[in-house]
Amino acid sequence: FALTAKRINAEGVRTLVDDRGDEPIADFLAGVIEGWSGVLDSAGQPVAFSQDSLRTLLTNIPGLAQLVFSRYLREIGAKAKN
């Protein structure tokens, strides 16, 4: 699946992380992810994007939130250098 997210600079990431304190990574991601494609339910049907469905996806698959967070940081860093 693919995620669509807001692109923010390093200072913006620090601000979002600091403002959220000890909140879960899924909450941070819910603040920056705006959509997705390729997410299917158990019947193979597309799942409509929502903040709730995103949080459900991130919390039901162990390690997924950390993986998405790491990839997000890598992607915004790579784009900022160009």
Side-chain angles (χ1 to χ4, degrees):
F1 65 92
L3 300 172
T4 304
K6 297 177 196 172
R7 183 172 160 216
I8 55 177
N9 61 26
E11 184 177 328
V13 171
R14 278 191 296 276
T15 299
L16 281 174
V17 169
D18 289 346
D19 287 350
R20 294 186 185 279
D22 292 333
E23 286 183 326
I25 292 172
D27 290 338
F28 169 85
L29 293 170
V32 296
I33 295 175
E34 300 176 319
W36 63 28
S37 62
V39 177
L40 306 175
D41 65 16
S42 60
Q45 296 301 310
V47 176
F49 176 80
S50 71
Q51 298 294 320
D52 288 336
S53 58
L54 173 65
R55 283 188 179 90
T56 299
L57 178 70
L58 294 173
T59 56
N60 284 346
I61 301 174
L64 183 61
Q66 183 62 43
L67 177 66
V68 170
F69 181 69
S70 297
R71 183 60 187 222
Y72 175 75
L73 294 179
R74 190 173 345 143
E75 287 295 316
I76 62 170
K79 304 289 186 216
K81 292 178 185 176
N82 291 334

